[in-house]
Amino acid sequence: MSKRLNPSKLQAGSKTRLLGKSILFSKEVASTNEWAKKLASQGAPEGWVTIAETQTHGRGRLDREWISPLGGLWFSLILRPKQGFAKAAELTFVAGVAVAETLHEQYALRTQTKWPNDVLVNGRKICGILGEATMKARQINAVVLGIGINANFDAERVLPESIRARTTSLETELKRKIQLEELFSRL
């Protein structure tokens, strides 16, 4: 299995009616969230996804750097919730549960969520989620949910030494690569 994404296979097997029906792909971007926020401000509809093989300036909560090497699943989803800000903030939690359940069901991994925005496997971070709201006339215009899953790379060799002890990847846990397109479609 390859570390490279095959854009034509991202929707294969997907049963979604809205989320991920339109996918914008790039080999490399600064940040899928920044890309999606720009598109949302230009009127992109709910459900659009930006996805990249690598991010050069991925970030997490509190503007922490998010390392995004080739082989991970790095994408952002544009949502346009009708509820107020408090309900929109819950979307990050819902996304975390969805990732944890998918990783458990697909790969029989022992997952847990670490609020507000991390998914852990065997006590180590495998996924980060960043929810960002854009406002228009004091109302939520869009919520962009960025999801980064450490997948097809050896976390102990690829990630910086400063985060290795608390971070993992699917390849590290499973001792094999997975189909990125299938994981994306399941999510």
Side-chain angles (χ1 to χ4, degrees):
M1 280 179 229
S2 173
K3 288 185 173 193
R4 299 241 173 239
L5 278 167
N6 184 337
S8 66
K9 292 184 178 180
L10 287 171
Q11 293 173 321
S14 176
K15 294 179 175 75
T16 184
R17 291 182 301 202
L18 177 67
L19 306 178
K21 278 297 184 190
S22 293
I23 299 172
L24 301 171
F25 170 80
S26 179
K27 287 186 181 288
E28 180 179 282
V29 296
S31 160
T32 60
N33 256 35
E34 291 304 318
W35 184 17
K37 286 191 318 187
K38 181 178 180 182
L39 291 168
S41 73
Q42 296 170 345
E46 182 170 51
W48 275 31
V49 171
T50 57
I51 188 167
E53 288 184 330
T54 62
Q55 298 181 107
T56 58
H57 290 89
R59 61 187 168 76
R61 200 168 68 93
L62 306 175
D63 253 352
R64 293 183 181 121
E65 180 183 23
W66 182 265
I67 309 298
S68 311
L70 184 64
L73 187 57
W74 324 118
F75 69 96
S76 297
L77 172 65
I78 298 172
L79 300 171
R80 298 212 180 260
K82 306 287 185 261
Q83 309 90 335
F85 190 78
K87 283 288 188 189
E90 294 175 5
L91 293 170
T92 301
F93 301 121
V94 171
V97 169
V99 170
E101 287 180 356
T102 300
L103 295 180
H104 174 73
E105 291 168 6
Q106 282 295 111
Y107 310 110
L109 293 169
R110 196 188 80 190
T111 61
Q112 65 186 95
T113 54
K114 178 182 169 201
W115 305 119
N117 65 329
D118 294 339
V119 177
L120 310 178
V121 169
N122 297 319
R124 296 167 72 193
K125 185 172 181 171
I126 200 163
C127 172
I129 299 163
L130 179 62
E132 296 182 290
T134 62
M135 307 296 281
K136 188 175 187 179
R138 298 174 63 180
Q139 298 290 325
I140 292 178
N141 178 46
V143 172
V144 171
L145 278 180
I147 299 175
I149 302 174
N150 297 335
N152 287 344
F153 57 86
D154 183 342
E156 295 174 8
R157 286 188 310 144
V158 173
L159 297 177
E161 189 174 341
S162 60
I163 63 171
R164 285 183 197 152
R166 61 183 190 275
T167 310
T168 192
S169 71
L170 290 171
E171 182 175 325
T172 300
E173 296 297 320
L174 299 171
K175 309 292 188 250
R176 65 177 174 87
K177 294 187 184 325
I178 56 102
Q179 285 266 309
L180 292 171
E181 300 85 0
E182 182 181 328
L183 175 57
F184 175 80
S185 179
R186 295 276 183 180
L187 280 169

